[in-house]
Amino acid sequence: MTTYSEAIDAMFALFNDAWVDGAGALAETTLVPDIRWPGVEEPEIPPVDSFWCRVSTQQVSEPLTSFKSGVAPTENKRYSAVGLLFVQIFCPMSDSRAMEKGRLLAELARDAFRGKQTANDVWFRNARIQNLPPEDRFYRFNIVVEYTYDDIG
């Protein structure tokens, strides 16, 4: 069982670890491409010649799945939370290999969740890559991952 906050922290940590380990090499830069996190205000967008990504989540539903959790001593109700995690990757048009590098970064982001679960039982499924139209001098990729976890309320 996990709470909403614990689930978000675990998902973001899982992505951060994969991104820090592999994104710099894939983008062929000495710096790990910047990650923009929800709730962390940045003074400006990254430079137009850099790779970067933005991570967000959307809770879709939290239906009641049982009246007793089976977890002593509370025996509270169990809710099964379902949501979507998004990683939007921005690749500078000024880089002649931006699309190639962007595809590799998109695969890295997708594979961070594909077939995985966190230590606190957040499960991931249907991780996929979507191509998006360019925006403001950046090519874009969107990674969408469905997640689920049980919460006791």
Side-chain angles (χ1 to χ4, degrees):
M1 305 302 146
T2 191
T3 66
Y4 170 73
S5 294
E6 292 167 342
I8 296 296
D9 288 346
M11 289 187 281
F12 287 176
L14 186 64
F15 175 72
N16 187 69
D17 290 347
W19 192 257
V20 168
D21 287 346
L26 294 175
E28 297 177 1
T29 177
T30 56
L31 300 174
V32 174
D34 192 27
I35 303 172
R36 297 296 170 107
W37 301 102
V40 179
E41 295 301 319
E42 300 286 345
E44 57 191 40
I45 64 168
V48 295
D49 63 345
S50 66
F51 290 82
W52 60 285
C53 71
R54 179 173 34 222
V55 181
S56 62
T57 61
Q58 180 181 10
Q59 204 81 339
V60 175
S61 67
E62 293 186 31
L64 175 67
T65 53
S66 70
F67 287 106
K68 289 195 172 214
S69 68
V71 177
T74 60
E75 294 294 332
N76 290 336
K77 298 173 184 171
R78 179 189 311 241
Y79 298 86
S80 291
V82 177
L84 299 170
L85 181 138
F86 302 95
V87 179
Q88 191 173 22
I89 299 173
F90 295 82
C91 309
M93 290 180 177
S94 61
D95 186 317
S96 63
R97 295 182 48 226
M99 288 298 288
E100 176 187 350
K101 294 175 184 178
R103 286 191 296 269
L104 294 172
L105 290 169
E107 290 172 0
L108 173 75
R110 178 201 60 202
D111 293 348
F113 301 101
R114 185 180 262 182
K116 304 249 174 62
Q117 76 181 71
T118 66
N120 58 347
D121 289 328
V122 179
W123 291 80
F124 304 100
R125 66 177 188 274
N126 201 15
R128 58 203 178 271
I129 299 169
Q130 299 172 329
N131 294 321
L132 298 175
E135 174 185 286
D136 296 329
R137 296 183 269 175
F138 291 100
Y139 296 114
R140 299 180 305 147
F141 294 87
N142 205 31
I143 292 73
V144 181
V145 183
E146 297 169 18
Y147 65 83
T148 186
Y149 64 90
D150 287 336
D151 190 2
I152 302 300

